[in-house]
Amino acid sequence: MNLGHWLEVFEKTVITVGLGTATLLLFTNVVARYLFHSGFTWVLELVQYLFAWVVLVGAAYGFKAGTHLGIDIVVEKFSPQNQKRIALLALMLCLLFVGLVFWYSIQYTVRIYEWGDLTLDLQIPQWIPYLAIPTGLGLMILHLLQVGLDILRGKTLRIHANEAADALKQVEDI
């Protein structure tokens, strides 16, 4: 099995287990609070960290799956060659932004690791939840590079979803 397969398994596992666990924890905490007049003080903190992992890894997976929204009404007026250039420019701008935030998130996470602080309720090292940021951004970079290769190879001209075309295809399939 290749790296792409393992990344997809990792991403889907983080998203599914993280969202499922957060939902179960919140439900359990609500039941404990209303039925037994008690609760778990650490649940909200853990749910925040789980959602951070789910959102950041999910956003990266969105580039792979092509589910991010984009407005391309003006771009579609250009020739396919110019559409390709515009798509590559947009991709480069995305890579620049994500790359800069990725770099700074690594520096910040290392600094938190060096400080040795623990989270308030869970009492785990603070750098563990913060690791979600460089992990998610690193995955975004990998997926954006894959999209760039697909654009260069002529497989696609988009770094986002095409909702209108998808909706028309669904209507045609009916």
Side-chain angles (χ1 to χ4, degrees), residues 15-127:
I15 295 165
T16 305
V17 171
L19 199 53
T21 303
T23 302
L24 185 62
L25 285 169
L26 285 172
F27 175 77
T28 303
N29 208 33
V30 168
V31 168
R33 206 176 295 150
Y34 285 101
L35 292 182
F36 304 111
H37 304 290
S38 68
F40 307 101
T41 58
W42 50 267
V43 166
L44 292 178
E45 183 177 79
L46 180 56
V47 167
Q48 286 178 328
Y49 298 148
L50 288 171
F51 275 140
W53 278 90
V54 168
V55 166
L56 288 160
V57 172
Y61 188 76
F63 281 117
K64 177 184 181 358
T67 57
H68 285 284
L69 297 177
I71 301 171
D72 58 1
I73 191 166
V74 175
V75 175
E76 289 181 348
K77 304 291 185 200
F78 291 99
S79 69
Q81 188 62 28
N82 284 333
Q83 287 181 23
K84 184 176 184 176
R85 289 184 183 118
I86 293 168
L88 288 171
L89 175 64
L91 180 80
M92 293 307 223
L93 291 173
C94 286
L95 278 169
L96 176 67
F97 175 76
V98 173
L100 285 171
V101 178
F102 174 68
W103 174 251
Y104 288 117
S105 72
I106 289 173
Q107 291 178 337
Y108 188 66
T109 305
V110 167
R111 188 169 297 145
I112 290 173
Y113 174 80
E114 292 170 349
W115 289 338
D117 290 343
L118 299 177
T119 61
L120 186 62
D121 293 326
L122 295 172
Q123 292 297 298
I124 61 173
Q126 188 76 38
W127 64 268

